[in-house]
Amino acid sequence: MPKRTLIGIVKSAKCDKTISVLVSSKKKHKRYHKIINTSKTFVAHDPENSAAEGDKVIIEESRPISRTKKWALQSVLEKAI
């Protein structure tokens, strides 16, 4: 079974081997049918500290590494300027 992957922007890379990734999506309201922008922050494992703030990255689901880290960095799509 393939692992889930998400695309997001690195919000924080201050901790060692850890990044916070902001993933945005659009959903339709159940009653009013208006499109709503939603976002969620995921904590991901970055073993080489390769991602920096503002980078566009792909994260994938992994085994629990700590209490909050359940995602791992797969690759960096775009570097921040």
Side-chain angles (χ1 to χ4, degrees):
M1 190 168 166
K3 295 181 180 181
R4 288 194 304 163
T5 59
L6 298 172
I7 298 173
I9 297 174
V10 178
K11 187 176 168 183
S12 173
K14 294 176 184 175
C15 298
D16 187 35
K17 298 183 181 179
T18 304
I19 56 172
S20 295
V21 180
L22 184 71
V23 177
S24 300
S25 63
K26 293 183 179 185
K27 293 184 179 179
K28 193 178 222 184
H29 193 278
K30 289 181 182 179
R31 183 171 184 178
Y32 300 114
H33 308 293
K34 183 179 178 179
I35 303 297
I36 301 169
N37 292 324
T38 59
S39 61
K40 187 171 180 181
T41 303
F42 294 94
V43 179
H45 184 62
D46 181 13
E48 289 102 31
N49 290 324
S50 58
E53 286 186 31
D55 292 352
K56 192 172 185 180
V57 295
I58 298 176
I59 56 173
E60 70 177 354
E61 209 171 21
S62 69
R63 64 176 178 80
I65 298 163
S66 70
R67 186 169 68 102
T68 56
K69 284 202 296 191
K70 292 164 181 64
W71 295 82
L73 178 70
Q74 185 178 359
S75 64
V76 177
L77 292 177
E78 294 177 14
K79 285 288 198 181
I81 297 172

